């Protein structure tokens, strides 16, 4: 027994050295990550300052109507796009060293800046094309008015005109262009408009019955409409530039406040206590390293003694422990099989050829509690949210009741076209409970009631794809689109939408529904055959799955074969 007790102090010393090296390595790694994070913040801050100055230059060029320089400055700002803004790994690596409120603030600033940036660049594409068309129309009409002036001058060639209304009109019309030519014949839009267009329109109003006014009126009014439209576009672009510049300035200032605080963050482990006014706690905090070392040495000695005692156990005890281990392993395997069987909803174990379901919202009230039996239905879909604020008051209770009755559950979000799609997706995911293997994938409902404002079809499709991609990335499940036949053919035109499964509302009374253009080849996954199905004197929607129970199992398995979804993952924001 002498050798083991001489061996214990040396082993304890080696373990202590290993623990100290591990602590030093961990601290060094944390410091390195913090330096990387500070460098990232400084890089983002410099980018925001550059974008702010560039937007101010664009606004100055817009005010003096220098569109060529404005286009050059704006294209330069587009080349300054920063991919580091989308680097989620930076925040994940420092989620333990930073406060959650700080991370949320950084994420909120980043999202606001990127949203303003995408809106500005989308509007710029429309602005540049529209300006080119309007300027062409404007200067073509000006050229036509100048051509009329030249023709009149060549015709009279210095001859005096009579005092008739037509002669007076010709004299005044030619004098307008003479005055413009004497002052340098500037061709900028504002000068031409004030010196020619305004005066020609006033002249034509004074001589309304002169034959010359018909042609000049047409060209002058075209110039006036084009000029006013250009002014409106400049005003809208100025507002977008101002909003984006303000977002960049706010982001730069906020990060400027966060950078000094980040430099002073101490790298501490979660188990280390914080200072307190209690003298005993302060003493423990001051001498914590010595206390930890003493505790670790004693714990190491105790573990080594237990290890030596265990090694002296006889062969009979070893065989008994092996037998016990085999018994435990068999019991664990059996309990796992039982859990798997219990995880399958009861009504999904019946081998039926047609799978039926209902979709329910608060308008049906406490329908699930009032129904005596649900044996004929295999899935239920509940309305969860709408827009970025509304939550169905009966959603949680309906979901819990359906789970208890052994039915597959699904949830849908009612989409609004006038609300930011990312905000809607976050609201939807924050409301969803944790999805299990036998729960249906998330669903988005888009129909005529979703159009709360004037609708631009490409923008509507783009925002819907943003919503679907966000939900799919956060949940790992490909969402389902609910819509009607007429609405889909008119509004859902982007081919990228066809990769998502279709839940079609189509009440033709036939054995198969008529499919929208985008889903002609892929087909539908659910069909809402009726919207007047009556249960206990209440109307509800009646749905059918496109396949038998085996196909329904396969659909649920495929939709849940990605990463699991939890409420924390859905609301973290990155």
């Amino acid at each position: 027994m002498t050798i083991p007790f001489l061996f214990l102090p040396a082993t304890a010393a080696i373990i202590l050295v290993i623990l100290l090296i591990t602590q030093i390595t961990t601290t060094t790694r944390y410091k390195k990550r913090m330096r990387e994070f500070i460098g990232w913040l400084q890089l983002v801050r410099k980018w925001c300052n550059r974008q702010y100055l560039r937007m101010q230059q664009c606004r100055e060029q817009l005010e003096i109507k220098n569109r060529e320089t404005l286009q050059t400055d704006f294209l330069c700002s587009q080349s300054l796009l920063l991919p580091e803004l989308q680097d989620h790994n930076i925040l994940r690596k420092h989620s333990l060293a930073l406060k959650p409120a700080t991370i949320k603030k950084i994420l909120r600033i980043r999202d606001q800046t990127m949203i303003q940036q995408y809106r500005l660049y989308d509007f710029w594409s429309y602005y540049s094309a529209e300006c080119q068309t309007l300027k062409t129309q404007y200067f073509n009409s000006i050229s036509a008015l100048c051509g009329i002036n030249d023709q009149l001058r060549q015709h009279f060639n210095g001859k005096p005109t009579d005092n008739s209304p037509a002669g007076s009109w010709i004299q005044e019309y030619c004098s307008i262009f003479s005055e413009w030519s004497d002052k340098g014949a500037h061709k900028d839009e504002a000068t031409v408009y004030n010196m020619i267009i305004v005066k020609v329109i006033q002249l034509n109003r004074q001589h309304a019955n002169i034959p010359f006014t018909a042609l000049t009126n047409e060209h002058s009014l075209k110039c006036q409409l084009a000029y006013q439209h250009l002014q409106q576009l400049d005003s809208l672009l100025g507002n977008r530039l101002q909003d984006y510049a303000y977002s960049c300035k706010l982001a730069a200032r906020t990060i400027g406040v966060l950078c000094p605080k980040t430099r002073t963050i101490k790298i501490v482990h979660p188990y280390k206590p914080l200072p307190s006014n209690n003298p005993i706690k302060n003493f423990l905090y001051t001498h914590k390293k010595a206390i930890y070392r003493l505790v670790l040495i004693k714990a190491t000695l105790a573990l080594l003694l237990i290890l030596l005692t265990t090694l002296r156990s006889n062969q009979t005890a070893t065989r008994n422990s092996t037998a016990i281990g085999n018994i435990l392993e068999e019991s664990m395997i059996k309990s796992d099989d039982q859990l798997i069987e219990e995880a399958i909803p009861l009504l999904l174990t019946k081998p039926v050829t047609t799978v039926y379901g209902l979709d329910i919202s608060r308008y049906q009230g406490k329908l699930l509690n009032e129904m005596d039996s649900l044996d004929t239905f295999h899935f239920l879909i509940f309305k969860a949210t709408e827009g970025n604020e509304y939550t169905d008051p009966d959603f949680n209770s309906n979901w819990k009741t359906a789970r208890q009755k052994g039915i597959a559950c699904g949830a849908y979000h009612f989409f609004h076209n006038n609300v930011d799609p990312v905000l809607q997706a976050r609201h939807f995911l924050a409301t969803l409970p944790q999805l299990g293997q036998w729960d249906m994938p998330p669903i988005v409902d888009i129909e005529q009631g979703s159009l709360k404002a004037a609708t631009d079809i490409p923008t509507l499709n783009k925002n819907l794809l943003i919503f679907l991609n966000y939900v799919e990335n956060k949940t790992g499940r490909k969402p389902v689109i609910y819509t009607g036949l007429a609405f889909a053919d008119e509004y859902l035109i982007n081919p990228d939408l066809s990769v998502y499964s279709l839940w079609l509302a189509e009440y033709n009374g036939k054995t198969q529904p008529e499919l929208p253009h985008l889903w002609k080849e892929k087909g539908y996954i659910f069909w809402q055959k009726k919207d007047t199905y009556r249960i206990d004197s209440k109307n509800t929607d009646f749905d059918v799955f496109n396949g038998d129970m085996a196909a329904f199992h396969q659909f649920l398995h495929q939709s849940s074969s990605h990463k699991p979804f939890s409420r924390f993952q859905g609301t973290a924001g990155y």
Side-chain angles (χ1 to χ4, degrees), residues 51 211 444:
Q51 289 293 83
V444 58

Side-chain angles (χ1 to χ4, degrees), residues 293-317:
R293 291 170 184 170
L294 181 60
V295 171
L296 287 173
I297 291 173
K298 290 186 176 181
T300 304
L301 293 174
L303 289 174
L304 289 173
L305 289 174
I306 294 173
L307 179 62
L308 291 174
T309 305
T310 305
L311 291 175
R312 295 175 60 185
S313 59
N314 54 32
Q315 188 176 2
T316 305

Side-chain angles (χ1 to χ4, degrees), residues 152-153 155-164 166-168 170-171:
L152 291 174
R153 287 182 181 276
H155 177 74
F156 289 98
N157 196 16
K159 300 177 182 180
T161 57
D162 55 9
N163 295 327
S164 63
S168 300
I170 293 172
Q171 289 180 357

Side-chain angles (χ1 to χ4, degrees), residues 199-453:
K199 293 181 179 180
V200 171
I201 292 175
Q202 292 177 353
L203 177 61
N204 289 337
R205 288 177 180 173
Q206 294 173 1
H207 302 82
N209 298 323
I210 303 301
F212 297 104
T213 59
L215 184 58
T216 55
N217 254 338
E218 179 183 355
H219 294 301
S220 58
L221 290 177
K222 284 183 179 179
C223 288
Q224 186 182 36
L225 291 175
Y227 182 80
Q228 291 176 352
H229 197 178
L230 282 170
Q231 298 302 311
Q232 293 176 357
L233 288 176
D234 289 344
S235 177
L236 291 174
L237 180 61
N239 293 336
R240 297 293 175 92
L241 290 172
Q242 182 178 1
D243 293 341
Y244 183 46
Y246 174 77
S247 298
C248 293
K249 186 176 181 180
L250 178 62
R253 286 185 176 180
T254 306
I255 293 173
V257 173
L258 292 176
C259 275
K261 290 186 177 180
T262 309
R263 289 193 188 97
T264 59
I265 290 179
K266 294 182 178 180
I267 309 303
V268 297
H269 295 282
Y271 58 79
K272 290 188 177 181
L274 297 175
S276 173
N277 295 328
N278 191 328
I280 299 176
K281 291 185 178 181
N282 286 335
F283 174 81
L284 294 175
Y285 183 79
T286 305
H287 301 85
K288 56 184 177 295
K289 290 186 178 180
I291 296 173
Y292 289 156
R293 291 170 184 170
L294 181 60
V295 171
L296 287 173
I297 291 173
K298 290 186 176 181
T300 304
L301 293 174
L303 289 174
L304 289 173
L305 289 174
I306 294 173
L307 179 62
L308 291 174
T309 305
T310 305
L311 291 175
R312 295 175 60 185
S313 59
N314 54 32
Q315 188 176 2
T316 305
T318 303
R319 288 198 299 268
N320 291 337
S321 62
T322 304
I324 293 173
N326 294 334
I327 295 173
L328 289 175
E329 184 177 357
E330 293 176 0
S331 63
M332 289 175 64
I333 295 174
K334 183 177 180 181
S335 62
D336 288 342
D337 293 337
Q338 292 175 353
L339 287 176
I340 293 174
E341 292 297 330
E342 292 174 358
I344 303 177
L346 179 61
L347 295 179
L348 297 187
T349 59
K350 301 179 180 179
V352 297
T353 57
T354 306
V355 181
Y356 299 107
L358 304 173
D359 55 285
I360 299 173
S361 64
R362 67 180 181 87
Y363 299 106
Q364 282 76 38
K366 304 296 182 180
L367 180 62
L368 293 184
N369 295 327
E370 298 171 0
M371 294 174 62
D372 296 331
S373 176
L374 290 174
D375 291 344
T376 57
F377 302 106
H378 309 94
F379 65 89
L380 295 174
I381 305 174
F382 307 107
K383 180 177 181 179
T385 52
E386 180 175 343
N388 64 332
E389 295 181 353
Y390 178 79
T391 302
D392 193 293
D394 297 330
F395 172 69
N396 290 326
S397 60
N398 285 337
W399 185 280
K400 182 178 180 181
T401 303
R403 278 280 188 83
Q404 292 174 351
K405 295 188 177 184
I407 302 177
C409 298
Y412 70 89
H413 170 82
F414 193 87
F415 190 82
H416 284 186
N417 74 317
N418 62 337
V419 181
D420 185 273
V422 175
L423 297 180
Q424 295 191 69
R426 288 179 177 173
H427 176 50
F428 181 40
L429 296 180
T431 306
L432 279 182
Q434 183 173 352
L435 298 180
Q437 178 184 0
W438 298 98
D439 291 324
M440 300 171 64
I443 303 169
V444 58
D445 180 351
I446 181 167
E447 52 186 273
Q448 198 66 37
S450 302
L451 308 181
K452 303 298 182 180

